[in-house]
Every structure is written in structure tokens, then in C-alpha cells.
Amino acid sequence: SENLRVLAIETSCDDTSVALVRQDGTVEISFSANQDLAHAPYGGIVPEIASRNHTHHLLPLIEQALGDTSLTWNDIGGIAVTNRPGLIGALIVGLMTAKSLSMAKSIPLIGVNHLEGHLLAPFLRDSTYQPPFEFDSPVLALTISGGHTSLVLMKTWGQYQLLGETKDDAAGEALDKFAKVLGLGFPGGAQVDRESKKGDLAKYPFPRAMVGENGLDFSFSGLKSSGARLVNQIIENEGKEAVDSQRADLCASYQEAVIDSLLTRLTQAVKKTGIKKIIITGGVSANSRLREKSIELAKDKGWQIAIPPLRYCTDNAAMIGFAGVWRLNKGFSHGPDLAPSPSLWDGDFQEAKS
Ligand code: KG4
Ligand code: ZN
């Protein structure tokens, strides 16, 4: 089994995703079923609806993955599944399916930390994407999604140190909430991205809040409140139409504040650690302005930078497969007592704040 293949399952939030991944990170198949339309009427993810949709989508996706590659269960060397962190009901659907398949087909099972998946996503490879550098020495990671905003020092495979994280809202949450105030629908991050392209990013001076001058933590709740306050003020003073006509400027200015806060912290982390191999990962790394700005910054500072293609930025099973396959290859696996967890496990990340 020198190039092991795993079947990977991801159901921690609102995307049902299945992938076939090789030990070297090659993605053979990656399919997802998106639930945005099911949650949109509620303006946010409804956990019960997410679980129910996972049960509808998961088995057909697995059948499709095997069918499209004409592989059989004999070709599958392991089953990797996200078991933490996430919505418990949503995690249970993927975990129970993975356990059942593992038992029925006698295939080893491995539970994966969703965030480790995001950290490894830039190192996946397929027919149109190759990582710009390998993960063979320490890497500094900015992980930004709807639920997380962290700076992580990836020392080596499996050894991750948390350098800083958000003290309140995640970056994606701050974008989603502002989109909601503007009536842009859910999830709003990509809509804010689209609107911003037509707007003036210097029109509104939104705050770039940082927690502690020298620390590496983030805070977005102040920005979120000031965004909502401004929109309400415009509505009160000039009416609802005024917001619609200034929507692009509002988005561009707000988005720029989020991006500045992220990149300022990243720059501080590089200074502090001396590490100049950077990855940016998680759903918000799909943001076009952030990608542009961070690539420019890296060029300017002489960093090597890797940002995965959009399909590996947002939640996907391929990244879960990559985290799982190297653990299996190292001899780790889980028994049928593997449990889902809404939070990380002790030892997933080393806390080291100084
Ligand atoms: O990683 P992800 O798919 O799920 C979590 O683990 O949270 O991240 C979802 C987040 C949402 O907040 C969504 O609005 C944001 O990623 N997002 C974006 C873009 N595409 C997705 N934010 C900004 N610009 C985008 N293009
Ligand atoms: Zn995620």
C-alpha cells in the first residue's frame, strides 16, 4: 500500500462532501452537495435541516464516487471522516455512515479534525492544481472560515501550534452578518466579494480592531456592530434606497477592513516566528480581493505563499482524506467507539501564547 487510497466523508456543517484521495495528496474524485438553498430562507444554518440533508445526500454521493471511477471496495484502504469540531447532528450522519461502511467492508476507520483538513488543503493536488511548495518544513497558516479565524504554526505533520485566534466572531461570520444587514442573502461572504468589485473601498472608514497590541488574536465584533450601525443610520437618515445605491461602496469598505485586520496579523506572525512559508485556507480564502492582496503582499515581503483553488477553500472531503490518509499510513486508526465532538480534542493543537 505505498500509495494508499481513502474514501473521505465530510458532514461537519452544511456541505455534504465525499472524496477519493491518495496518500500523496492526489484527489481522484471530490463531490459535494451544497445546501445553501435549504438554509437561505432562515438567514443562517439550521442544524436540524443540515443533518436531514446530509442523510439525503451522503449515500448517493458515495455511490457516485465509486461508480465514476469504477473502483470497488477492495481498492479502498481506509475511510476518513470528520468527527470534530462541528454541528453534532451533522457530524453524526457522516460518522455513523463511515463506521457502518468500515465494519461492513472491514476497512480501517480514521476520525479527522476538520481544521487539520483546512490546514492541509493547500497541499492537495489534482489535474489542474499543484501546490507551489511542499509541506516539508514549518509553515505559517492563516485559517479563516465561517466558524474559525486562527493563526497556526504548522511545525510538521500532526504538530500544530495555535498562535492566535478570534476572541469573538470569525471573519466569515463578520462578512455573513454584514451581508444579512444589507439584505444580500445567505451565505453572504461570496456576495460581499461580488458587490465589492463595483465599490469604493475607501468610502467608509471602518475600524481595524486588534486585540492587544503585540498579541496575534483577532476581533471582529466591533466591526460587525459598526457596520450594522452605519447601515441603520443610512436607512434612518436617507431611506432604504440609499443603502441599495451605496451597497457596493459599503461592501468594499467593510471587506477591506476585514482583509486589513487579517493581513496585519499575518505580517506580525511572520515577524514573530521568522517563517516565510505562508498558507491561507478556509472558506474566506476564496475571497478574490484577499487572494489578490495577499499574493501582492507576499511578493513584496519575499514570502512563499499557497492559497488553494476555490474548490479546496470551502468545506470539502478531499482535505479530510489527506489528513486521514497520512494518519492511517502512520499506523493510527479508530475503533467503533469513535465519537463526534462539537469542539477540538485535547492535543489537537498546542496552545502557546507568549
Ligand atoms: O470553510 P467554510 O466553507 O465553512 C466553515 O468551516 O465555516 O467557510 C464558510 C465561510 C462563510 O462565512 C462564507 O461566507 C465564506 O466562507 N466565504 C467567503 C467567500 N466564499 C465563502 N467569504 C468571502 N469571500 C468569498 N468569496
Ligand atoms: Zn470549514
Side-chain angles (χ1 to χ4, degrees), residues 32-314:
S32 292
N34 176 288
Q35 305 181 6
D36 287 348
L37 287 176
H39 300 280
Y42 306 94
I45 294 163
V46 183
E48 181 59 28
I49 293 176
S51 308
R52 200 184 309 153
N53 274 282
H54 288 312
T55 63
H56 287 310
H57 294 310
L58 186 52
L59 284 177
L61 281 176
I62 293 172
E63 279 181 1
Q64 193 189 344
L66 291 173
D68 277 22
T69 49
S70 56
L71 292 170
T72 72
W73 288 103
N74 292 328
D75 301 311
I76 308 296
I79 299 176
V81 60
T82 307
N83 78 313
R84 66 192 190 279
L87 302 171
I88 274 296
L91 286 167
I92 285 173
V93 177
L95 185 57
M96 291 305 158
T97 305
K99 281 190 197 179
S100 308
L101 290 170
S102 160
M103 277 190 267
K105 309 289 182 189
S106 299
I107 298 172
L109 173 74
I110 185 86
V112 171
N113 163 355
H114 180 83
L115 293 179
E116 180 176 28
H118 276 304
L119 292 176
L120 296 180
F123 303 105
L124 289 166
R125 55 189 75 232
D126 60 27
S127 58
T128 58
Y129 173 74
Q130 304 289 312
F133 57 85
E134 300 298 328
F135 178 27
D136 52 12
S137 58
V139 166
L140 192 58
L142 176 63
T143 311
I144 37 181
S145 69
H148 300 273
T149 304
S150 325
L151 274 162
V152 176
L153 169 54
M154 302 170 71
K155 294 178 168 176
T156 182
W157 289 81
Q159 281 190 36
Y160 313 117
Q161 188 174 54
L162 193 60
L163 299 177
E165 63 188 328
T166 182
K167 290 290 128 194
D168 38 63
D169 299 317
E173 206 177 334
L175 290 165
D176 291 342
K177 294 272 164 65
F178 191 60
K180 196 171 175 179
V181 171
L182 291 175
L184 281 172
F186 175 86
Q191 318 267 17
V192 172
D193 189 354
R194 199 168 318 129
E195 282 290 321
S196 295
K197 289 179 182 158
K198 304 174 280 184
D200 174 2
L201 52 86
K203 179 80 180 285
Y204 299 100
F206 284 113
R208 271 80 169 148
M210 303 288 166
V211 183
E213 274 304 300
N214 301 308
L216 294 176
D217 287 330
F218 303 87
S219 169
F220 291 101
S221 67
L223 172 63
K224 191 179 75 177
S225 314
S226 102
R229 208 161 40 233
L230 177 62
V231 171
N232 287 330
Q233 243 167 38
I234 296 175
I235 293 174
E236 242 169 65
N237 299 341
E238 306 164 54
K240 180 91 188 50
E241 304 70 41
V243 171
D244 293 340
S245 68
Q246 292 169 64
R247 189 186 272 159
D249 292 341
L250 286 163
C251 283
S253 301
Y254 187 92
Q255 176 182 279
E256 204 67 8
V258 172
I259 294 172
D260 279 352
S261 303
L262 293 169
L263 295 185
T264 303
R265 277 308 194 218
L266 177 62
T267 306
Q268 283 171 329
V270 172
K271 223 178 263 169
K272 212 163 181 169
T273 60
I275 295 168
K276 294 183 170 188
K277 275 188 177 179
I278 312 296
I279 65 166
I280 304 185
T281 178
V284 180
S285 62
N287 185 270
S288 61
R289 173 73 181 156
L290 172 72
R291 295 171 82 91
E292 195 182 282
K293 253 193 134 170
S294 50
I295 288 167
E296 224 165 83
L297 182 66
K299 210 178 277 170
D300 191 48
K301 302 265 186 193
W303 306 341
Q304 280 183 286
I305 192 163
I307 313 174
L310 300 197
R311 59 189 174 281
Y312 303 138
C313 286
T314 46

